Amino acid sequence: MKDIITKLFNLEQRMIHDIEMIHVGNEVFAIISLRKCLCKCPICGTFTDLVHDYRKRTINHAVLCNS
């Protein structure tokens, strides 16, 4: 499963922490958790793994739909 996810979303295997698949009716949800990585602070320029906010994303694309 990880191989398909990495190719579809252009991710590297080492970036993925966990993948959980949830089936609800005719829909399938993939919950992808990424590993922490260092990011550069836009204000001071130092690198940190602290993140201000996390967001859930919903991706609707013809490749993912049954149309």
Side-chain angles (χ1 to χ4, degrees), residues 29-60:
F29 297 93
I31 311 299
I32 304 168
S33 300
L34 300 178
R35 296 187 188 277
K36 281 188 174 185
C37 64
L38 292 177
C39 299
K40 188 175 181 180
C41 174
I43 297 175
C44 68
T46 60
F47 285 90
T48 181
D49 65 353
L50 299 176
V51 178
H52 174 69
D53 191 18
Y54 291 96
R55 293 177 285 225
K56 292 182 181 181
R57 303 280 188 203
T58 301
I59 301 172
N60 294 317

Side-chain angles (χ1 to χ4, degrees), residues 9 17 19-20 27 33 42-43 45 47 54 60 67:
F9 296 112
H17 177 261
I19 299 176
E20 180 182 355
E27 298 179 328
S33 300
I43 297 175
F47 285 90
Y54 291 96
N60 294 317
S67 311

Side-chain angles (χ1 to χ4, degrees), residues 1 5-6 12 14 21 24-27 29 31 34 37 42 45-47 49 52-53 55 61 63-65:
M1 178 57 72
I5 297 293
T6 55
E12 295 179 22
R14 62 181 174 82
M21 303 299 287
V24 178
N26 291 332
E27 298 179 328
F29 297 93
I31 311 299
L34 300 178
C37 64
T46 60
F47 285 90
D49 65 353
H52 174 69
D53 191 18
R55 293 177 285 225
H61 193 280
V63 173
L64 304 172
C65 296

